[in-house]
Amino acid sequence: MSLPESTHALAVGMLLVFLFISFVREWVKPDMAVLAVVALLLVLGLLTPAKMLGVFSNSAPFTIACLFIISGALSRTGCVDWLGERIAQAANGSEFRLLVGLLLVGLLVSPFINNTPVVMVMIPVVISLATRLSLSPSRLLIPLSYATILGGTVTLVGTSTNILVDGVARSMGLAPFSMFEITAPALVIALLGCAFMLLFARRWLPARETLTQQFTAQTDRLFMTELFVPAGSRLAGRSLQDARLASGSVQVLKLFRGEEEWSAPAPDTRLQTGDRLVVHSRSSAMVDLRNSDLIGLHAAPAPQGSGTDLETLRQRDVVIVEALVGQTSRYVLRPIRDLDLASRYGIHLIAVHRKNASIGDIGDDFQLQFGDVLLVEGAPNQIQRFCDNGDLFAITERKPAQQRRDKAPVAVVTMVGVMALAALDVMPIEGLALIGAVLVVLTGCLKPDEAYKSIEWPILMLIYGMLAVSVAMRDSGLSALAAQSLVQWGGGLSPWLVLSLVILATSIATEFLSNNAVAVLFTPVVIGVALELGVDPRPFVVGIMFAASFSFATPIGYQTNTLVYSAGNYRFSDFARLGVPMNLLTWAASSLLIPLFWPFYPG
């Protein structure tokens, strides 16, 4: 199937509109939406298979994958946790010092480590410290996310956006960016942003209850008990409600009968001899249950002489833990029934926090999403097994995975070596990143399966898909048409004003779309705008690098914002309260600084 050549630009434009709507409405995951559009481009003849496969020659996604592995090694060897411990010591009970420490971590670590794992590791540290100091984590987590975003722009490898924009620019004939070419202006902007947060974050950010605080009482211990209905029990034939096992404080999570099992059986379910029940209750309710004349767990024998109406097979203390769903979690988009939490792990899902809402009524068809925070209860070791199996991250009552701290020097030296050798132009960054990734695996900083898990595969698929879309934009003439239209619309505006508008438009788009998608689509267009104006494209490319990362006003524009959104139990408006002024500040600073370092008319 092939469309007339005159309609190619229009068709690609319509598919882009569809893609943007899909991103905003979240019909499917972003990477799947992009791949669907690529498939349509192939079907309509707007993209050839050869050119689609050609995007895999772009070194940017490969470099990003290798840096994910090195970042994973730094996290797995305890480097980030060590920083968290130093922050706790330095804070010494002060909220202000704690905020300063978190901002410093963002600025010092994110230029060298992908900021998503940094935030995931730091979230439980922040919650633990806030609890210890009787502070609300919601006053600290947004600044942590913002600081890592600012820090990520300081070097070429600090964020996947920078690497991606550099790769697209190189494919269009621009000279590659060096490792620290963008450092000076990015560092000035980052320091301005952190100073702004020190002044206003504690005033403007609210104190929100965590999910644990919303759904649990702090004074009553929790138990999970396994009960058995023996022969001669007076409960045989009675309903759960009659047996006082369907009250608000006592709940049957599972009922096993022979080879059959029921999750959360109805109150009118009648018990039979031989039934096995997994019951959740608070300690006070368990005392009432034991003292009940009706069922008497330890009361006088029943008339038939069975001894008890219910026998206690197993009882254990349980804890309540919040667990964060990462983007690569195997539980994403799977219904709760498939997880089989009670029988497989012996734990119970109490609630899920997602986008402004805490959901307590969770049916079997409920599907988890990236960024959800699960409130689960059970034995600590069982919860840890559940998190490890599904690539979740426990953010309260965390039992950290065994860290290889003896390997930390190897991971640090590897990252420093990659950065230094790339800055000295000893080898292109893609080659050094591969050597570094292989080295951290061979030296035992990461196991091979951990290395694969540390790669954000959905991000890579999104990037490759958007690169293919950008090829269709270029070949159809849509990129050139958009550049010409922007220049004509701008009329007699100076290059500085056009750059400022480009930065503003990119920043706004990033708040609602994927930052990497915006970077791939906007970079060819702004290069065309610069060429139409007769100026150097480099300041416009840097503008895209910065603006595609500076996402502060919404929780959906950048991954780290999405992570802290649920973990801090924020509302959507909480991000706008501090984020909109941050966007305006970084927009103004970028517009002023970029032309000073990259003149429009280089001598």
Side-chain angles (χ1 to χ4, degrees):
M1 180 178 180
S2 182
L3 298 175
E5 189 171 345
S6 59
T7 65
H8 283 191
L10 176 62
V12 174
M14 291 177 65
L15 286 175
L16 280 177
V17 171
F18 166 78
L19 184 59
F20 288 160
I21 294 174
S22 174
F23 282 165
V24 174
R25 299 298 298 272
E26 297 182 335
W27 290 329
V28 294
K29 294 173 66 176
D31 53 312
M32 295 308 301
V34 173
L35 294 177
V37 168
V38 172
L40 285 172
L41 290 171
L42 290 169
V43 170
L44 297 174
L46 302 172
L47 182 69
T48 65
K51 290 187 175 181
M52 179 200 68
L53 293 174
V55 303
F56 289 96
S57 64
N58 190 307
S59 62
F62 176 80
T63 305
I64 293 168
C66 293
L67 290 172
F68 274 139
I69 294 175
I70 299 175
S71 295
L74 288 165
S75 175
R76 195 69 177 80
T77 53
C79 295
V80 181
D81 273 337
W82 179 85
L83 281 174
E85 293 168 3
R86 303 287 81 76
I87 292 173
Q89 294 174 0
N92 195 27
S94 166
E95 182 182 16
F96 180 78
R97 284 198 292 268
L98 179 55
L99 180 59
V100 170
L102 293 176
L103 296 180
L104 285 176
V105 166
L107 289 184
L108 295 176
V109 177
S110 293
F112 314 107
I113 308 178
N114 180 266
N115 48 20
T116 301
V118 171
V119 170
M120 289 192 73
V121 171
M122 288 302 297
I123 283 174
V125 175
V126 171
I127 291 176
S128 174
L129 290 174
T131 302
R132 191 186 313 167
L133 300 175
S134 299
L135 303 173
S136 174
S138 62
R139 292 164 61 89
L140 301 166
L141 289 174
I142 281 181
L144 170 66
S145 175
Y146 289 0
T148 61
I149 291 173
L150 291 168
T153 63
V154 171
T155 67
L156 182 65
V157 300
T159 174
S160 58
T161 305
N162 290 352
I163 302 172
L164 192 54
V165 171
D166 174 62
V168 174
R170 276 195 283 174
S171 69
M172 298 187 67
L174 270 67
F177 282 82
S178 64
M179 179 63 64
F180 299 106
E181 183 174 343
I182 60 176
T183 297
L187 189 57
V188 172
I189 296 170
L191 291 174
L192 285 173
C194 288
F196 180 84
M197 285 188 282
L198 283 175
L199 289 174
F200 298 106
R202 291 183 299 157
R203 301 181 189 178
W204 293 354
L205 289 178
R208 303 273 186 223
E209 284 187 326
T210 65
L211 193 59
T212 303
Q213 292 168 335
Q214 283 187 344
F215 280 86
T216 64
Q218 303 299 316
T219 58
D220 204 0
R221 294 176 66 193
L222 297 163
F223 292 93
M224 197 171 289
T225 309
E226 195 169 332
L227 303 174
F228 178 72
V229 181
S233 170
R234 289 173 293 177
L235 296 181
R238 290 180 175 268
S239 67
L240 294 176
Q241 190 167 12
D242 292 340
R244 302 182 188 177
L245 295 174
S247 63
S249 55
V250 180
Q251 294 179 326
V252 177
L253 306 180
K254 283 277 187 178
L255 189 154
F256 298 91
R257 180 176 295 162
E259 298 297 322
E260 297 181 288
E261 65 177 76
W262 291 270
S263 298
D268 59 357
T269 302
R270 296 193 175 276
L271 294 170
Q272 294 182 13
T273 299
D275 283 352
R276 186 163 52 89
L277 313 171
V278 178
V279 176
H280 161 262
S281 68
R282 297 197 173 276
S283 56
S284 57
M286 183 57 66
V287 171
D288 293 340
L289 195 64
R290 291 179 184 278
N291 294 334
S292 168
D293 290 334
L294 175 63
I295 62 175
L297 290 178
H298 296 291
Q304 291 84 352
S306 65
T308 57
D309 294 308
L310 283 176
E311 292 180 2
T312 303
L313 298 181
R314 222 175 12 165
Q315 178 175 303
R316 59 186 183 273
D317 290 357
V318 300
V319 296
I320 290 184
V321 175
E322 294 178 38
L324 186 65
V325 180
Q327 189 167 26
T328 58
S329 171
R330 64 195 296 182
Y331 299 147
V332 170
L333 296 183
R334 289 185 61 185
I336 290 297
R337 69 160 61 87
D338 288 356
L339 306 187
D340 201 13
L341 301 184
S343 60
R344 184 179 301 175
Y345 301 103
I347 63 176
H348 172 48
L349 179 61
I350 302 174
V352 175
H353 182 78
R354 172 187 297 169
K355 296 182 181 178
N356 263 1
S358 295
I359 306 164
D361 185 14
I362 302 169
D364 286 346
D365 295 327
F366 185 87
Q367 292 187 340
L368 299 176
Q369 297 179 7
F370 163 60
D372 284 351
V373 170
L374 314 182
L375 190 66
V376 295
E377 60 183 358
N381 61 328
Q382 292 294 81
I383 290 178
Q384 189 62 46
R385 189 168 70 89
F386 167 64
C387 292
D388 292 343
N389 287 350
D391 298 323
L392 303 181
F393 204 79
I395 58 178
T396 55
E397 298 289 338
R398 187 163 71 109
K399 185 182 287 185
Q402 190 65 39
Q403 294 178 339
R404 309 180 184 102
R405 293 209 170 189
D406 58 318
K407 302 291 185 180
V410 177
V412 172
V413 169
T414 299
M415 174 56 81
V416 172
V418 168
M419 300 283 289
L421 294 176
L424 295 172
D425 289 328
V426 173
M427 184 185 292
I429 182 63
E430 50 267 29
L432 292 168
L434 174 62
I435 294 171
V438 171
L439 184 61
V440 296
V441 175
L442 291 180
T443 55
C445 297
L446 276 182
K447 296 179 181 178
D449 60 327
E450 293 171 340
Y452 284 112
K453 284 184 178 181
S454 65
I455 298 174
E456 300 278 355
W457 294 104
I459 291 180
L460 292 189
M461 292 300 100
L462 173 69
I463 290 172
Y464 277 122
M466 292 308 303
L467 287 171
V469 172
S470 70
V471 170
M473 287 179 61
R474 182 192 64 202
D475 291 351
S476 67
L478 182 61
S479 294
L481 181 62
Q484 293 167 5
S485 299
L486 287 172
V487 172
Q488 292 175 359
W489 177 80
L493 294 180
S494 67
W496 178 83
L497 281 176
V498 175
L499 172 63
S500 184
L501 291 174
V502 163
I503 294 172
L504 179 61
T506 306
S507 179
I508 293 172
T510 302
E511 295 295 354
F512 302 98
L513 308 172
S514 161
N515 56 317
N516 287 316
V518 169
V520 172
L521 292 181
F522 281 37
T523 300
V525 174
V526 300
I527 291 175
V529 168
L531 295 176
E532 288 283 335
L533 292 172
V535 299
D536 186 4
R538 212 161 186 83
F540 287 84
V541 173
V542 176
I544 297 297
M545 278 187 180
F546 288 177
S549 289
F550 292 155
S551 172
F552 306 112
T554 71
I556 59 177
Y558 208 93
Q559 274 190 311
T560 57
N561 287 347
T562 305
L563 290 171
V564 301
Y565 182 25
S566 294
N569 204 10
Y570 289 109
R571 296 175 183 169
F572 200 97
S573 59
D574 294 338
F575 284 83
R577 190 178 306 175
L578 187 65
V580 170
M582 283 284 292
N583 275 358
L584 295 175
L585 175 66
T586 53
W587 166 52
S590 301
S591 300
L592 290 172
L593 290 172
I594 289 175
L596 298 180
F597 289 88
W598 295 274
F600 294 113
Y601 304 99

